[in-house]
Amino acid sequence: MAPFNFTHSDTSTFILMGIPGLEAAHIWISIPFFTFYIISLLGNVTLLSVVGKEQTLQKPMYLLLCMLALTDIATPTFVVPKALGIFWFNLKGITVAGCLTQMFFLHTISVMHSSTLVTMAFDRYVAICNPLRYATILSNAQIAKLGLVGFIRAVLFILPLPLLLSQQTFCANRIYPHTQCEYIAMVKMVCGDIRVSRIYGFVLMFVINGFDLTFIALSYGLIIRAVLRISSHKAHQKALNTCTAHICVLLTYYTPTFFSILTHYFGQGIAPYVHIILADLLLLIPPMLNPIIYGVKMKELRDKVVKYTCRSSADTKFTQSSADTRDDISSGLQCPSGNCQIVSEYVNQH
């Protein structure tokens, strides 16, 4: 877990303390951590499986959902196992290389997540404002290209963060009051000049979030304008209903993100464990809620999930019933002619 080249910091380690001030409650805190993570995995893996199996769902809107599900699987996976190791087994050590690597992947996935939300806003704009050209503007190939562009953007923007920090000298006190290697907290542990790292991180945050939110706001502004031009109230309702799931996902992602950032920069009087819990919930709650939101709001997806769930349950019951019937027939056969062995072999084969 050390793809970056380090010099003086290679042998050094940090001590991740978990949630300082709440050490006695670590076991209890681990229960929602583990529960949220499992629900998130189940929901997002189910979504990926259903879209992968169902040909009718393999279209741009659902491919975007799959991209979102992949980021929702990856985000908590880079955090929860280490956090549970701290809570359950007191495994607090992590190398500087490992810490920077975790930070790189977490922030890269976060930017990818934001890019996917922007693409989904564009998808809704085209579907409502230019429906006749939807198939030509947003084909599956175009969605794949937009996903690749989002990934490249995330890597190029985030890669300088660990590279800049890897050139810094960290203080002798390597106690890291967190469950994860977060950039803002990690910068505070540098003993050298951190002006470049701070400025880059600050500018990056506003450039990425500012651009993405501006594009999303522009898309929804055009959508609202197009909807207001429609005379039918029923058409109004139908058009807006296609956006409600995406709006809910936007709120679950950006609201806690900005609240967490604001508490870091302007919440000096807030207890440290509040910062840590907010940062952790930001990585746990949206991945858990997103598949639930889309499952509830999108009837086509919900119907397919129910279809495959019921089919899987029915197949299991049928297999068990067939096995039981075969056993009953084999044990209850009466063979006065002495052909029991032949009949039993036939039953077992069928």
Side-chain angles (χ1 to χ4, degrees), residues 172-192:
N173 182 10
R174 300 297 176 93
I175 296 176
Y176 198 112
H178 218 303
T179 57
Q180 56 174 289
C181 296
E182 192 182 49
Y183 175 74
I184 297 175
M186 201 167 183
V187 166
K188 295 177 181 178
M189 301 186 68
V190 175
C191 287

Side-chain angles (χ1 to χ4, degrees), residues 67 78 104 111 117 132 137 142 149 158 173 179 190 213 225-226 231 238 251 253 267 287 343:
M67 290 168 56
F78 281 111
F104 167 74
V111 176
L117 293 178
L132 297 179
I137 296 175
Q142 287 297 106
V149 170
I158 298 301
N173 182 10
T179 57
V190 175
L213 285 173
R225 188 181 70 171
S231 57
K238 185 177 179 181
L251 292 175
Y253 178 73
V343 176

Side-chain angles (χ1 to χ4, degrees), residues 24-329:
H26 273 179
I27 292 296
W28 296 107
I29 294 172
S30 70
I31 296 174
F33 264 64
F34 183 73
T35 303
F36 293 165
Y37 181 52
I38 295 301
I39 294 173
S40 173
L41 286 182
L42 288 175
N44 287 291
V45 169
T46 299
L47 191 153
L48 290 171
S49 300
V50 170
V51 174
K53 291 178 181 178
E54 188 61 47
Q55 290 288 336
T56 59
L57 296 183
Q58 293 177 12
K59 47 192 177 183
M61 180 171 59
Y62 292 102
L63 293 181
L64 286 169
L65 283 185
C66 289
M67 290 168 56
L68 193 69
L70 288 173
T71 62
D72 285 340
I73 290 172
T75 299
T77 298
F78 281 111
V79 175
V80 173
K82 181 59 182 176
L84 294 179
I86 297 169
F87 295 153
W88 291 347
F89 309 111
N90 206 35
L91 300 175
K92 298 181 177 181
I94 185 171
T95 64
V96 174
C99 207
L100 290 175
T101 302
Q102 185 193 53
M103 182 194 73
F104 167 74
F105 280 113
L106 281 176
H107 289 293
T108 299
I109 294 167
S110 178
V111 176
M112 265 295 297
H113 189 103
S114 185
S115 298
T116 304
L117 293 178
V118 171
T119 309
M120 293 173 83
F122 181 62
D123 171 81
R124 293 299 82 204
Y125 160 73
V126 176
I128 294 173
C129 299
N130 207 344
L132 297 179
R133 297 185 58 202
Y134 181 86
T136 55
I137 296 175
L138 282 176
S139 62
N140 289 351
Q142 287 297 106
I143 292 297
K145 290 177 183 177
L146 289 172
L148 180 61
V149 170
F151 175 74
I152 293 172
R153 181 189 82 145
V155 172
L156 291 179
F157 278 156
I158 298 301
L159 187 59
L161 294 179
L163 293 179
L164 286 170
L165 286 178
S166 68
Q167 307 304 315
Q168 299 290 340
T169 301
F170 292 96
C171 299
N173 182 10
R174 300 297 176 93
I175 296 176
Y176 198 112
H178 218 303
T179 57
Q180 56 174 289
C181 296
E182 192 182 49
Y183 175 74
I184 297 175
M186 201 167 183
V187 166
K188 295 177 181 178
M189 301 186 68
V190 175
C191 287
D193 187 357
I194 58 173
R195 281 179 297 178
V196 175
S197 296
R198 274 188 175 277
I199 292 171
Y200 183 79
F202 197 73
V203 170
L204 188 64
M205 177 184 66
F206 279 98
V207 167
I208 292 176
N209 290 327
F211 172 82
D212 290 356
L213 285 173
T214 299
F215 196 93
I216 290 169
L218 178 62
S219 296
Y220 274 99
L222 294 172
I223 288 171
I224 292 171
R225 188 181 70 171
V227 169
L228 291 177
R229 290 178 176 177
I230 302 173
S231 57
S232 170
H233 177 74
K234 186 176 180 180
H236 279 186
Q237 196 68 28
K238 185 177 179 181
L240 292 176
N241 280 343
T242 64
C243 301
T244 52
H246 184 240
I247 292 172
C248 290
V249 169
L250 288 173
L251 292 175
T252 61
Y253 178 73
Y254 284 111
T255 302
T257 296
F258 278 104
F259 192 69
S260 178
I261 292 170
L262 290 174
T263 56
H264 262 294
Y265 282 102
F266 306 108
Q268 287 79 9
I270 299 176
Y273 63 81
V274 175
H275 295 287
I276 298 169
I277 291 174
L278 280 175
D280 288 333
L281 290 178
L282 173 62
L283 301 179
L284 288 169
I285 299 298
M288 179 185 68
L289 291 180
N290 288 346
I292 297 173
I293 291 171
Y294 278 103
V296 170
K297 300 300 294 184
M298 300 177 70
K299 185 178 184 300
E300 186 180 13
L301 177 62
R302 184 172 67 250
D303 291 344
K304 298 302 181 184
V305 171
V306 172
K307 168 188 168 183
Y308 280 101
T309 303
C310 293
R311 178 186 294 179
S312 176
S313 176
D315 288 345
T316 302
K317 290 180 180 179
F318 178 77
T319 302
Q320 182 62 42
S321 176
S322 299
D324 293 343
T325 303
R326 186 171 61 244
D327 292 342
D328 292 343
I329 293 173

